[in-house]
């Protein structure tokens, strides 16, 4: 799966599914975007607790020189029903504020929808994700393995009624 994103007159990226060869450059983008606090986050606990990585639904942004400049990873999880977990989302600091983060998110969510799914959950900034179709998870509906700021716990339904039976602890998919 591959699409092309053009930002401005002369900047364009390919948005592609993640491949093993992207792993090392993605680590560099994550380190530059997040800094050293990244592994303390509750999202990391979710991924450690048996979430199944979905490289074919994840999206990597590659510039015209072939360099990885952003990533949006997708995992399969379960909370009453099968769900997708989005994260990390990161854009290299040199490329931020040009629309790449939003485009990566849209492309990954579209891939999840095309794959057939109930919904996508994530922990992130509501101001960034609400315009992309995410809304706050109702207080207490889903339990995360670690402290959660309910103002940053968001979900997006992928089909009508897809989230109506979503509840309980977020855990590994079946
Ligand atoms: C968050 C991130 C992926 C956004 O990527 P980006 O390419 O800069 O984002 P875009 O250019 O598509 O969108 C920019 C918009 O998002 C807003 N935005 C960007 N980062 C934000 C943040 N952390 N919190 C709230 N809003 C944010 C900007 O203010 C801007 O809004 P505007 O268009 O109304 O001015 C990028 O800033 C990043 O890698 N940050 C560090 C890692 C991180 O915090 N990831 C998110 C965790 S889920």
């Amino acid at each position: 799966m591959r699409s092309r994103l053009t930002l401005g007159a002369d900047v364009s990226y390919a948005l592609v599914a993640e491949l093993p060869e992207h792993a090392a450059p993605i680590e560099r983008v994550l380190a530059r975007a997040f800094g050293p606090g990244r592994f303390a986050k509750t999202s990391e606990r979710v991924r450690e607790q048996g979430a199944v990585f979905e490289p074919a639904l994840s999206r990597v942004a590659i510039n015209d020189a072939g360099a990885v400049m952003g990533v949006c990873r997708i995992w399969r999880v379960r909370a009453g029903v099968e769900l997708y977990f989005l994260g990390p989302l990161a854009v290299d600091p040199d490329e931020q504020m040009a629309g790449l983060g939003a485009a990566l998110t849209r492309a990954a969510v579209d891939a999840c929808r095309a794959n057939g799914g109930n919904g996508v959950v994530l922990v992130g900034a509501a101001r960034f994700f609400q315009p992309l179709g995410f809304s706050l998870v109702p207080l207490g509906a889903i339990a995360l393995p670690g402290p959660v700021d309910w103002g940053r716990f968001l979900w997006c339904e992928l089909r009508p009624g897809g989230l109506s039976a979503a509840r309980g602890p977020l855990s590994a998919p079946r």
Side-chain angles (χ1 to χ4, degrees), residues 19 43 71-72 76 82-83 85 97 99 101-102 104 124 137 142 171:
L19 297 173
S43 303
V71 63
C72 180
R76 275 190 302 116
E82 300 286 317
L83 298 170
F85 188 87
M97 300 300 289
L104 278 165
V137 174
I142 296 179
S171 58

Side-chain angles (χ1 to χ4, degrees), residues 7 29-30 32-35 41 43 69-71 86-93 95-106 122-129 131-132 152:
L7 299 174
V29 169
L30 294 176
R32 277 170 56 77
F34 280 101
K41 290 176 186 288
S43 303
M69 287 296 159
V71 63
L86 185 155
L89 166 69
V91 170
D92 188 278
E95 311 284 318
Q96 288 178 7
M97 300 300 289
L100 189 50
L104 278 165
T105 305
R106 281 199 196 91
L122 61 81
V123 179
R127 195 167 73 80
F128 178 81
F129 287 103
L132 302 173
R152 290 174 54 84

Side-chain angles (χ1 to χ4, degrees), residues 13 22 72 94 107 114 134:
Y13 302 89
H22 299 138
C72 180
D94 288 345
F134 286 81

Side-chain angles (χ1 to χ4, degrees), residues 44-126:
E44 286 295 328
R45 302 288 90 75
V46 171
R47 294 186 277 266
E48 284 166 12
Q49 290 209 343
V52 175
F53 180 44
E54 286 285 350
L57 305 179
S58 303
R59 289 293 178 266
V60 177
I62 298 177
N63 68 12
D64 290 338
V68 169
M69 287 296 159
V71 63
C72 180
R73 278 183 165 153
I74 297 290
W75 309 72
R76 275 190 302 116
V77 295
R78 188 175 173 82
V81 296
E82 300 286 317
L83 298 170
Y84 298 107
F85 188 87
L86 185 155
L89 166 69
V91 170
D92 188 278
D94 288 345
E95 311 284 318
Q96 288 178 7
M97 300 300 289
L100 189 50
L104 278 165
T105 305
R106 281 199 196 91
V109 170
D110 285 351
C112 292
R113 187 177 288 109
N115 196 48
N118 296 306
V120 182
V121 296
L122 61 81
V123 179

